């Protein structure tokens, strides 16, 4: 039960006025009883924590010839729909900690050549912060995003980087406090992607024919930056702890690094971290 800001008493315990000790007489504290004790305001012991609703925006940004519909379902709520390419949906679910499942109709299908199959990536932002991501390269796979609360934005994109249905995705987000630092990599379209305080998000896909690009940059600030790398190689747990037959997922694992003031970066992150992962860089 959410805190109401009031302290309530479930039981009434009788004490002896002579000894000051309990007499052993206990009864429920219910309205109508002559000894009933009403709830009292206690902002310190029982601070009021209202139940918040969760606001979702889901965008189907699949593009080019790979574009196709996606279907989302809020398993813990009531909303479900299919979005065609370029379509969006905004809605509100009651309460918090929601579970969203998204599937893509054309995931894994061949495009152009047998070795090029359609890959979908999804990126989850809560209050503007990148908190989760995933990559689908097989038709039977689905995005599963649990524990979603607050202002939730989910963007789904596509690419043809799926060598025989094998692909991985990498996302990078800079915080608003990175100052004059700047980083770059080559995107899926072969163009240079530069991230700085004005363009804070980018991603790319990796497969057999498209190895991961180098990640380069400089922390030109007088202060250090924190690089937080989130991988999905932790322990396997059920998606729903109360229903382990509903599928399993791997917990994220976070690695922290420091980019010192004035330091340069030139690394191939996908040779250091396996599978799908995302990077957040903020002021330390």
């Amino acid at each position: 039960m959410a805190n109401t800001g009031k302290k309530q008493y479930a039981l009434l315990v009788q004490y002896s006025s002579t000894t000051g000790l309990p007499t052993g007489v206990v009864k429920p504290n219910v309205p109508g009883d002559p000894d009933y004790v009403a709830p009292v305001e206690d902002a310190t012991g029982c601070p009021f924590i209202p139940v918040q609703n969760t606001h979702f925006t889901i965008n189907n940004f699949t593009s080019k010839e790979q574009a196709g519909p996606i279907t989302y379902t809020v398993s813990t709520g009531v909303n479900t729909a299919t979005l065609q390419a370029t379509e969006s949906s905004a809605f509100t679910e009651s309460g918090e900690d929601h579970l969203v499942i998204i599937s893509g109709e054309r995931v894994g299908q061949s495009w152009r050549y047998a070795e090029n199959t359609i890959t979908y990536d999804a990126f989850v932002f809560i209050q503007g912060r990148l908190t989760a991501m995933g990559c689908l390269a097989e038709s039977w796979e689905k995005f599963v995003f649990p524990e979603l609360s607050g202002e939730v934005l989910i963007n789904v994109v596509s690419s043809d980087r799926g060598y025989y249905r094998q692909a991985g995705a990498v996302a990078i987000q800079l915080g608003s406090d990175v100052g004059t630092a700047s980083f770059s990599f080559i995107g899926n379209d072969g163009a240079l992607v530069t991230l700085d305080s004005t363009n804070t998000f980018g991603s790319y896909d990796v497969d057999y024919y498209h190895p991961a690009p180098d990640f380069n940059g400089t922390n030109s600030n007088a202060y250090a930056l924190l690089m937080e790398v989130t991988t999905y190689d932790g322990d396997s747990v059920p998606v729903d702890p109360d229903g382990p037959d509903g599928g399993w997922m791997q917990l994220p694992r976070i690695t922290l690094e420091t980019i010192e003031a004035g330091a340069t970066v030139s690394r191939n992150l996908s040779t250091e971290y396996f599978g799908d992962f995302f990077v957040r860089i903020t002021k330390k």
Side-chain angles (χ1 to χ4, degrees), residues 164-175:
Y164 286 100
R165 299 180 179 175
Q166 295 182 14
V170 178
I172 301 166
Q173 184 184 41
L174 306 189

Side-chain angles (χ1 to χ4, degrees), residues 28 38 70 88 117 153 155 161 171 177 182 192 213-214 238 282:
I70 62 171
S88 299
T117 55
L153 168 66
N155 292 333
R161 296 190 172 189
D177 52 1
S182 177
L192 182 69
D214 289 336
T282 56

Side-chain angles (χ1 to χ4, degrees), residues 63-68 106 111-112 118:
S63 60
K64 300 180 182 178
E65 291 89 340
Q66 317 102 326
R106 297 193 63 194
W111 183 64
R112 287 187 176 175
I118 299 171

Side-chain angles (χ1 to χ4, degrees), residues 184-209:
S184 64
F185 60 88
I186 301 299
N188 285 354
D189 61 359
L192 182 69
V193 177
T194 299
L195 301 180
D196 53 26
S197 60
T198 63
N199 181 39
T200 60
F201 178 80
S203 67
Y204 58 84
D205 292 283
V206 179
D207 67 9
Y208 180 83
Y209 285 125

Side-chain angles (χ1 to χ4, degrees), residues 21-22 25 41 53 58-59 61 66 90 107 135 161-163 175 198 219 230 243 256 261 271 277 279 283:
L21 299 175
V25 177
E41 298 286 344
N53 289 333
I58 299 178
N59 297 310
F61 287 150
Q66 317 102 326
V107 172
C135 173
R161 296 190 172 189
Y163 176 70
T198 63
N219 177 13
T230 301
L256 301 178
T271 63
F277 63 91
V279 179
K283 182 178 180 180

Side-chain angles (χ1 to χ4, degrees), residues 11 22 25 34-35 66 80 94 98 106 130-131 141 165 209-210 214 229 256 263:
L11 299 174
V25 177
D35 300 316
Q66 317 102 326
T80 182
S94 177
H98 285 289
R106 297 193 63 194
L130 179 63
T131 60
E141 294 179 310
R165 299 180 179 175
Y209 285 125
H210 304 91
D214 289 336
V229 182
L256 301 178

